[in-house]
Structures are given as structure tokens and as C-alpha cells.
Amino acid sequence: MLPTFLGLLIPGGEYMLTLRILRVLRIFRILKLSEYVREANILMVALNNSFRKIAVFLFTVLMLVVVFGSLMYMIEGSESGFTSIPTSLYWAIVTITTVGYGDISPQTPLGQFIASVIMIMGYGIIAVPTGIYSAELMKSHKSSKIDNEACPNCGATGHDFDAAYCKYCGQSLEERD
């Protein structure tokens, strides 16, 4: 409440009203989001691990957009709305991402066939990064639940974090602390 009163009493203090936004940060305390930091770290590790694969994938999609956009510019021409290569690239992006605004559409049978191929490719393109990220997420999740400290009796590693006994020899793992 202090920024509100200072904004009324001090000339030019109305800019301190922007400090009221800090009250929104209290929502994190109410929701107790700190409990989920570990899970957020798992998500970030998976995203970092899949970054290169997704970057290569996006570069491939960009190349497809350039090729198909330029091809449609050559096939359709300006009478169908493909007035320039950047406009055709815009159409290719809108089509391959399955947004499909409909402001530009091919009129020739060959252009419509190519558009159909791009639309079908778009559905597959949506699934690929999801699969890449999901695989990395599963790897990150599995690796976060394994303890690599050795058993004091047999020396085996790879126990679950919550394990009380060695899964190989049955020795108590409490002694390793």
C-alpha cells in the first residue's frame, strides 16, 4: 500500500505505482511453487539436451519453406496472390504450420497438389519436435531417480534414491551415509 500513498503525496510519485506489480509476486508464495523446482529443472535439462536436434529440425523446416515458397511463386504467379517470394514464403509458413489463414491460396491444379503435400507434411512436422522432447524428458526423468553410490557390501550402483536395501545383495544401504 505504501507506493499508493507515496504516489498521492509526492509529486512525480505516481511512477512508484509500478512497484505495485511486486505484489503479484506474492502469488508464488501462496501457490508454493518452490516445491516444483526439481520438476522444472528436469524440464529444462530435457530442453537443453534436445536443443541441437530441434535446431536441426527447424533448419530443415526453414529449408522446406524456402523451397516450397519459391516453387509456389513460380507455379502460381501474381494473379493468384503470390506477388513476391517473401509473400510465397509467408504462405508456405502458414500452410506448413497448419494455421491456414486462407488469405492466399493456389488456383492451379499443380499448385493445389503441392499445397496438399505441404499440408500433410505439416501434421508430421508438428509431431517430430514433440517426440524429440518427450524422449529427452524420459531420459532426464529416469536418470534423476538413480543413485550411483555403491553398496557397502557388494559395491553395486544404480539404486533408487528411496531404496533402503541393495537390490542385488539385500544389504542395508543406510550405512553408506
Side-chain angles (χ1 to χ4, degrees), residues 57-79:
F57 173 75
L58 289 177
F59 181 74
T60 304
V61 170
L62 182 64
M63 291 298 107
L64 287 172
V65 164
V66 169
V67 168
F68 282 121
S70 301
L71 189 63
M72 288 302 282
Y73 174 72
M74 292 173 50
I75 292 172
E76 290 294 323
S78 60
E79 53 272 351

Side-chain angles (χ1 to χ4, degrees), residues 65-78 80-85 87-89 91-92 95 104-116 118:
V65 164
V66 169
V67 168
F68 282 121
S70 301
L71 189 63
M72 288 302 282
Y73 174 72
M74 292 173 50
I75 292 172
E76 290 294 323
S78 60
S80 297
F82 295 86
T83 56
S84 65
I85 290 183
T87 303
S88 300
L89 294 179
W91 172 85
T95 303
I104 304 170
S105 61
Q107 303 300 318
T108 64
L110 181 59
Q112 291 172 347
F113 174 75
I114 291 174
S116 300
I118 294 173

